[in-house]
Amino acid sequence: MSTQPGMPAASVAAPPADPAPPGTSPAPVAPVAPVAAGPVVARTRDELRMARRQLTDGDVAVVMTMGALHEGHATLIETARQRAAHVVVTIFLNPLQFGPREDLSRYPRTFDSDMEICRRAGVDLVFAPTPDVIYQDGDPGVRVSAGPLGNVLEGQARPGHFDGMLTVVAKLLHLTRADTAYYGQKDAQQLLLIRRMVGDLDFPVRVVSVPTVREADGLAMSSRNMYLTDSDRETALCLSRALRAGAAAAAEGPSAIRRAARSVLVREPLALIDYLVLVHPSTLEDVPEWYRGEALLAVAGRVGTTRLIDNLPISVGPSGGPLEVFSDVDSAGA
Ligand code: AMP
């Protein structure tokens, strides 16, 4: 087991008190507030195995992240904390899911503040391996295939991304032996594919989704928001505004939803929109005009040098509107 430099110390010893001068009474000593112990940090498979072995009294939840943690991640962790006896957070920038022209090398790395968020949220164990620990035999020849759902939307823009993502998710589920895994609705296609993998390949884990956490002005929180300049950030607001406009037209049906969302985006020429779709949440196919029920309004685009995604589950129909709910799916054997 190792801890990182800069990690909060598990306990703080009070400095020795100066002796009181003769003839005076000693100054009252302020009570020292107990400092919560930070999570155990595991860097290697052996360290993880040893630390995981201690988490025996109750179920274990995992929250998988790429670091640069924000309130969205914290909400996943806190939700897991409320529901499970133990929480494991993984921090791993997975090279397999980044394309050659993507932002792996500049992706923000903020380990010390990540640890502080984990400590405050009561995380038991942080697994923060390097790529050689995860891919100990080099580039994996065998990978999980996302199948056709991995080739549309984000998969079309980022070839191979979802195979790389599912491969590491499978490995981290095996390594952490979690009973439950928490993912954000923010990455809706990722969530869908993880659910499919867990169901199709009989992983003994329950997948829980957590609604997207947003800034007060509606921007979906993302580690990549750190790349945005002030004016980029203004521009980026058009994504969530478009989703809200679409949701407001939910009662009128699919083409009204698409039209309302598009009318917001066309007013913001600095956002280079890759796609805006209203799709079925489990097939990711465009819903037809007669469709009523749950659908996913999803958008992706580039603002400045940053690619952003956002989505809103919507109920299409007479009493329609946005649907942001927690959901659990039991897989076989879980
Ligand atoms: P990442 O570190 O970006 O790979 O994200 C790790 C997990 O946090 C994934 O399950 C994401 O969907 C989730 N997540 C990221 N941003 C948000 C957000 N704004 N709200 C809720 N979950 C999020």
Side-chain angles (χ1 to χ4, degrees), residues 121-196:
V123 170
D124 299 81
L125 169 59
V126 171
F127 180 43
T130 47
D132 59 306
V133 169
I134 293 295
Y135 303 112
Q136 51 189 357
D137 300 317
D139 200 35
V142 174
R143 298 183 185 200
V144 178
S145 165
L149 284 178
N151 296 329
V152 297
L153 305 180
E154 283 308 283
Q156 192 166 2
R158 308 180 66 187
H161 167 70
F162 286 121
D163 290 3
M165 179 279 293
L166 288 179
T167 301
V168 84
V169 167
K171 288 168 77 76
L172 291 173
L173 286 174
H174 292 321
L175 290 169
T176 60
R177 294 187 286 112
D179 303 293
T180 329
Y182 287 73
Y183 299 96
Q185 174 62 37
K186 160 78 168 47
D187 298 282
Q189 191 173 6
Q190 164 174 290
L191 172 64
L192 171 64
L193 283 164
I194 291 170
R195 284 190 163 148
R196 291 296 289 264

Side-chain angles (χ1 to χ4, degrees), residues 166-330:
L166 288 179
T167 301
V168 84
V169 167
K171 288 168 77 76
L172 291 173
L173 286 174
H174 292 321
L175 290 169
T176 60
R177 294 187 286 112
D179 303 293
T180 329
Y182 287 73
Y183 299 96
Q185 174 62 37
K186 160 78 168 47
D187 298 282
Q189 191 173 6
Q190 164 174 290
L191 172 64
L192 171 64
L193 283 164
I194 291 170
R195 284 190 163 148
R196 291 296 289 264
M197 176 181 79
V198 162
D200 291 352
L201 302 183
D202 299 308
F203 279 62
V205 68
R206 204 170 78 241
V207 173
V208 180
S209 75
V210 177
T212 302
V213 178
R214 298 176 180 281
E215 304 283 359
D217 57 11
L219 183 70
M221 290 192 183
S222 164
S223 306
R224 291 187 167 97
N225 292 351
M226 289 186 197
Y227 302 147
L228 300 172
T229 64
D230 288 351
S231 76
D232 287 345
R233 205 188 167 293
E234 259 321 291
T235 304
L237 287 177
C238 72
L239 302 183
S240 54
R241 266 195 219 118
L243 299 178
R244 282 202 304 275
E252 298 159 58
S255 58
I257 295 170
R258 293 182 178 112
R259 203 166 39 244
R262 206 175 303 123
S263 73
V264 173
L265 298 177
V266 296
R267 289 201 298 271
E268 189 46 88
L270 293 178
L272 305 177
I273 299 304
D274 192 0
Y275 59 78
L276 168 74
V277 293
L278 182 69
V279 293
H280 191 279
S282 51
T283 64
L284 301 182
E285 287 171 6
D286 287 334
V287 295
E289 188 51 24
W290 50 261
Y291 182 82
R292 296 294 179 269
E294 192 178 335
L296 187 71
L297 185 60
V299 64
R302 197 155 55 78
V303 175
T305 59
T306 309
R307 189 162 188 286
L308 295 173
I309 58 173
D310 200 352
N311 72 84
L312 198 56
I314 284 182
S315 166
V316 182
S319 56
L323 276 179
E324 291 212 272
V325 288
F326 289 85
S327 62
D328 294 33
V329 170
D330 284 304

